[in-house]
Amino acid sequence: MAQTDKQGLRDRMRAERLAYSAVAPPIMPPRAFLDRLRPTGVIASYVAMPGEADPALLANAAHELGWQIALPHITNRASPMRFLAWQPGEPLVAGPFGLHQPAITAPERKPDIVLTPLLAFDSALNRLGQGAGYYDRAFHGLEPVLRIGVAWSIQRAPVLPVDPWDVPLHGIIDEYGWNEPEQTA
């Protein structure tokens, strides 16, 4: 699929996600997610942008079980995304692209689990993001890490275009619970 087709899909899914977010139920921590929180470690979450499924209840559940929280920190398009320590209630600073992120002075953390925003996903749990490649590049540098998308069911697409650098997810949490990749014959 050509890049323009990916951009068209991004635009369409962004609009659908934004419309649904006004009436969407919260994303609750399903048992399959909670079971993955043993032993404790570092969970990377994110502060939801308008229209994104909010991972706050998932991150709070992990924090209550003793997990440290890290949030993405971006300085510019050329620099890799880093995950910096954050505690609930600590102030965040404005970052590029409208992000809310920890101050650059916060300690860097290597996550064991990454909660990931997305625009669309398919049954193989391929992820379509905003297009800057921050998460895919981070995933390549974080092997092994449990990659979990946070989305609503309306973000599921029949099939997504996949480029060689795209990294699929291990699970998706939506308003109905935990989704694993479907196996193809």
Side-chain angles (χ1 to χ4, degrees):
M1 186 172 276
Q3 183 64 26
T4 55
D5 294 324
K6 255 187 167 179
Q7 190 55 50
L9 180 58
R10 279 188 181 97
D11 293 342
R12 182 174 60 81
M13 293 306 288
R14 196 176 285 117
E16 289 179 19
R17 182 183 72 175
L18 184 60
Y20 186 72
S21 70
V23 297
I27 304 293
M28 303 298 291
R31 172 59 43 203
F33 170 71
L34 296 172
D35 289 346
R36 286 165 170 81
L37 298 179
R38 308 247 191 297
T40 61
V42 176
I43 188 166
S45 189
Y46 61 93
V47 176
M49 304 272 290
E52 287 181 338
D54 190 348
L57 295 175
L58 305 171
N60 288 342
H63 188 256
E64 288 174 9
L65 291 171
W67 282 67
Q68 295 177 39
I69 298 176
L71 296 176
H73 186 275
I74 294 172
T75 55
N76 58 53
R77 276 201 192 273
S79 299
M81 177 171 67
R82 300 181 313 135
F83 294 100
L84 303 183
W86 180 77
Q87 291 286 324
E90 284 183 349
L92 297 168
V93 299
F97 318 113
L99 297 174
H100 299 286
Q101 57 190 18
I104 197 166
T105 55
E108 189 165 355
R109 297 287 185 253
K110 182 179 184 292
D112 301 291
I113 296 175
V114 177
L115 300 177
T116 309
L118 53 92
L119 289 170
F121 67 97
D122 63 18
S123 61
L125 300 193
N126 293 304
R127 170 188 171 274
L128 182 69
Q130 296 288 351
Y134 285 109
Y135 278 93
D136 288 314
R137 289 192 311 263
F139 291 154
H140 283 289
L142 290 173
E143 291 296 330
V145 65
L146 184 61
R147 304 176 301 270
I148 302 173
V150 182
W152 288 295
S153 58
I154 59 106
Q155 293 174 254
R156 181 184 290 263
V159 156
L160 289 179
V162 179
D163 289 311
W165 55 83
D166 291 335
V167 179
L169 301 170
H170 295 110
I172 298 276
I173 299 173
D174 66 17
E175 71 273 33
Y176 297 110
W178 180 262
N179 297 269
E180 292 188 344
E182 293 178 10
Q183 303 300 317
T184 57

